Amino acid sequence: MGRFDHLATQPRRGPADLFRWRVLDPLKGKRIKDPGGFVTPSRPHDADLVKSPEASLSWIGHASFLLTLGKKNILFDPVLGERIGPIKRLVAPGIAWQELPPIDIVVITHNHRDHLDAWSIERLGDRPTYVAPLGNARFLKAAGASAKIVELDWWETTGIDALEITLVPSRHWSMYMPWDRNDALWGGYVIRGPEGTAYHSGDTAYWDTFEEIGRRAGPIDWAMLPIGAYEPRWFMEPQHMGPEEAASAAKMLGAKHFVAMHWGTFKLTDEPIGEPPERARAAWEAEGGAAEKLWILDVGETRYLGR
């Protein structure tokens, strides 16, 4: 029994489901084939803005963002190397780790290796304060993080100078090693600063708790939500949203801006690499969202968040 099994998404997916997905479905011709040819858009980051104390948001790729808020540089789920295990990046990090500004805070949503990356933590070292859900300090320490680790439960808040950082629920699960499933908690973050409030969902399936997050922790200015890693739906539905669900989640949150993430960086699931942004744009339009409020950033793109 994992410590947080009672909070984990259901139905649980295990080895038999993986075997069906990876072996049986291809034998039956049921697996989606990526036509190929798509290249994830990327651009150089705005180095001057990133080095300044001005509020900004840069997409490094996957779920990794650099957020500057309250004159603090905050990294979300930093994955800064060329691969996670055997899976190589499709596009280089939007900001190379050597080019990052001094990092004040690192927030980790959960301990899956495409979010808690030991190689990246080792390079960030002991300068930042690390914020993570309950049970994750041991993984961070093993990767070289400092003693400045704050663990949070759902709805718990920590203050760092002008920032308030709250861990909020997500519909997901955790596992760093095969024997520690759900021993550590998972979640998303609401970070409130002088310039506004950012939300990073981490990995999550779709659920009605988005409304509660918006009500209790809002108003939210920038909601970073996953639009990729959703096929096959029978396997992924309990743990990852699709683009249509992400657009609906942004509306439920009451977010002023919907910032797409978790696509185009690693080939983890079956949907074509270039499909998520197309579907996200169509879904956002169907939700009545203004086009300029949907941010599907190029990898490396930096947006100024000042008012």
Side-chain angles (χ1 to χ4, degrees):
M1 280 287 290
R3 178 183 175 188
F4 298 102
D5 274 348
H6 63 294
L7 299 176
T9 187
Q10 299 294 334
R12 173 175 170 147
R13 299 303 184 203
D17 301 297
L18 275 171
F19 184 76
R20 173 187 163 186
W21 172 24
R22 297 293 192 180
V23 178
L24 296 182
D25 281 0
L27 289 174
K28 296 176 182 178
K30 293 183 177 180
R31 198 161 175 194
I32 298 170
K33 293 183 179 179
D34 191 328
F38 180 83
V39 177
T40 304
S42 64
R43 67 173 76 177
H45 67 279
D46 186 331
D48 290 338
L49 182 53
V50 162
K51 290 176 183 176
S52 81
E54 297 292 328
S56 66
L57 183 69
S58 300
W59 190 34
I60 295 172
H62 200 53
S64 304
F65 285 87
L66 173 65
L67 170 70
T68 301
L69 208 62
K71 298 184 179 179
K72 297 290 186 183
N73 293 320
I74 307 152
L75 270 182
F76 291 94
D77 286 354
V79 179
L80 307 172
E82 290 302 313
R83 59 179 65 246
I84 45 171
I87 304 172
K88 196 175 186 306
R89 297 183 81 103
L90 301 175
V91 58
I95 307 176
W97 70 269
Q98 303 96 325
E99 297 176 354
L100 287 168
I103 301 301
D104 301 296
I105 302 166
V106 175
V107 289
I108 301 294
T109 62
H110 65 298
N111 67 8
H112 288 157
R113 290 174 184 264
D114 58 326
H115 295 259
L116 197 166
D117 176 57
W119 187 93
S120 300
I121 299 301
E122 181 181 2
R123 276 143 190 83
L124 293 167
D126 61 3
R127 184 187 190 280
T129 296
Y130 292 83
V131 182
L134 293 174
N136 284 287
R138 61 192 177 103
F139 304 113
L140 291 167
K141 289 177 180 178
S146 71
K148 295 185 293 184
I149 300 174
V150 179
E151 287 192 334
L152 299 177
D153 199 354
W154 284 355
W155 298 114
E156 193 172 4
T157 298
T158 188
I160 300 178
D161 292 342
L163 301 180
E164 290 184 355
I165 303 173
T166 302
L167 182 72
V168 295
S170 66
R171 187 182 167 206
H172 204 56
W173 57 290
S174 71
M175 185 173 71
Y176 196 74
M177 295 292 187
W179 51 84
D180 63 14
R181 186 180 180 115
N182 298 332
D183 282 346
L185 190 58
W186 52 91
Y189 290 92
V190 174
I191 300 184
R192 187 178 306 279
E195 304 92 343
T197 300
Y199 166 65
H200 187 296
S201 70
D203 278 358
T204 184
Y206 185 71
W207 61 342
D208 58 10
T209 304
F210 290 121
E211 288 186 352
E212 183 181 7
I213 293 169
R215 183 176 68 253
R216 292 179 60 173
I220 292 168
D221 295 290
W222 311 281
M224 291 162 268
L225 294 162
I227 65 169
Y230 50 82
E231 291 288 358
R233 286 314 286 151
W234 69 265
F235 187 95
M236 290 296 168
E237 186 277 333
Q239 51 197 324
H240 288 164
M241 292 191 291
E244 294 78 13
E245 294 167 318
S248 177
K251 287 293 185 179
M252 292 169 71
L253 289 160
K256 293 180 182 177
H257 299 88
F258 166 20
V259 185
M261 67 171 180
H262 208 266
W263 75 278
T265 309
F266 298 103
K267 178 63 172 169
L268 300 176
T269 49
D270 287 356
E271 73 275 1
I273 292 296
E275 181 180 274
E278 295 178 3
R279 287 177 53 172
R281 289 187 184 96
W284 186 242
E285 182 179 357
E287 290 280 352
E292 68 273 12
K293 301 297 184 181
L294 170 59
W295 293 3
I296 300 181
L297 305 180
D298 294 348
V299 172
E301 185 172 349
T302 305
R303 293 281 179 105
Y304 174 62
L305 303 182
R307 299 182 187 280

